[in-house]
Amino acid sequence: MAFSIGGRDLESRFFLGTAGYPSPQVLREAVRASGTQVITVALRRQLSGGGEPGDFYRLIQETGAHLLPNTAGCTTAREAVTLARMAREMFNTNWIKLEVVGDEYTLQPDPWELVEAARELARDGFEVFPYCTDDLVTCNRLLDAGCRILMPWGAPIGSGQGLLNPSALRTLRARLPGVPLVVDAGIGSPRDAVQAMELGYDAVLVNSAVSQAHDPVAMARAFKLAVEAGRIAWEAGVMARQEMAVATTPVTGKPFLL
């Protein structure tokens, strides 16, 4: 299961968001149950939430996970770049999950502003994790801008709709074989995580599906197992689908291939 992303070696391929949990204690227990080594936080919402950022940072430090700050809520490249630089100073990390939203209804990324912000942040020494759609052209523009990782959505943020366009995600994986790809947004249940991993994706990032569950701690563990199962299935090689029935027990010949 071990893999490298953003210059760090990780065992877990399950990234976990930190918004919307019933309490800090539930969040702490969910992180532990998930086995995650990467957790995200929206800096803008943290600063406007009334709490002390230092309190949250201490909770993160206690988990031992790597922090991936994000620029959620930004609508322009300038906003996102400014917030990313604040996050680097506050959390002492060059990792940034870059979000630049272009539509308030779908929270779909603005590809032009996203690429502009990615280019500036990459020049500034950030390891940029851009939240993007499954559009191949936009993904290539982000790579040209200096990104080494891509985070295409499965569906709109927080919708729980799963992977709406598996064909596009499959194309991305096939056309960008050497690029770490993380499905981010829209995952609603562990089966969606299995599907993403079986497509050959390197990891998944989940927030609402865990934090909004009746039992977030149990759901975090369910996702942990789903991600592991999906990755093992990908490595083992999922059988090809057939148009017609194929007898599993031969009536002639040898029962085993020798």
Side-chain angles (χ1 to χ4, degrees):
M1 290 287 289
F3 76 118
S4 179
I5 191 167
R8 295 176 181 173
D9 295 328
L10 302 175
E11 295 291 331
S12 172
R13 295 174 179 268
F14 180 28
F15 297 0
L16 189 64
T18 57
Y21 287 84
S23 69
Q25 181 60 29
V26 172
L27 170 58
R28 186 180 291 108
E29 292 177 8
V31 170
R32 186 180 303 116
S34 73
T36 186
Q37 294 173 284
V38 176
I39 53 182
T40 68
V41 58
L43 181 60
R44 169 170 284 182
R45 291 168 186 161
Q46 181 67 23
L47 292 173
S48 63
E52 289 294 329
D55 294 339
F56 180 82
Y57 192 33
R58 279 189 289 274
L59 187 157
I60 298 306
Q61 287 179 310
E62 290 171 2
T63 69
H66 299 293
L67 179 63
L68 177 59
N70 71 54
T71 62
C74 292
T75 58
T76 67
R78 177 176 294 183
E79 283 183 299
V81 168
T82 298
L83 200 60
R85 288 169 176 161
M86 289 175 61
R88 180 165 60 182
E89 292 298 318
M90 181 176 293
F91 298 117
N92 192 32
T93 179
N94 71 329
W95 277 19
I96 192 70
K97 180 175 177 254
L98 180 61
E99 298 185 31
V100 187
V101 171
D103 180 74
E104 293 184 1
Y105 180 72
T106 63
L107 299 182
Q108 182 170 329
D110 182 321
W112 291 275
E113 296 290 316
L114 184 67
V115 170
E116 181 181 341
R119 182 175 293 110
E120 185 166 349
L121 289 173
R123 283 198 302 255
D124 203 17
F126 282 88
E127 189 69 71
V128 182
F129 292 65
Y131 162 62
C132 55
T133 66
D134 51 25
D135 178 69
L136 178 61
V137 174
T138 299
C139 287
N140 276 317
R141 294 290 183 271
L142 288 166
L143 295 174
D144 291 342
C147 298
R148 301 192 298 172
I149 299 152
L150 297 172
M151 302 184 78
W153 70 358
I157 292 174
S159 68
Q161 296 180 50
L163 309 188
L164 292 182
N165 196 345
S167 178
L169 292 173
R170 188 178 294 109
T171 297
L172 283 183
R173 179 70 290 172
R175 294 292 302 277
L176 307 173
V179 178
L181 299 178
V182 181
V183 172
D184 174 23
I187 288 180
S189 75
R191 68 179 177 182
D192 302 327
V194 171
Q195 184 182 15
M197 299 307 292
E198 286 185 352
L199 289 175
Y201 276 67
D202 296 279
V204 299
L205 193 160
V206 178
N207 190 160
S208 299
V210 173
S211 67
Q212 303 303 308
H214 293 302
D215 186 340
V217 178
M219 187 61 77
R221 182 170 182 272
F223 268 102
K224 172 182 183 293
L225 298 174
V227 170
E228 291 176 356
R231 182 64 189 186
I232 292 171
W234 162 257
E235 293 176 347
V238 179
M239 69 170 288
R241 292 188 178 186
Q242 307 295 324
E243 293 296 326
M244 301 292 291
V246 178
T248 57
T249 304
V251 294
T252 60
K254 298 179 179 179
F256 300 102
L257 296 177
L258 301 177

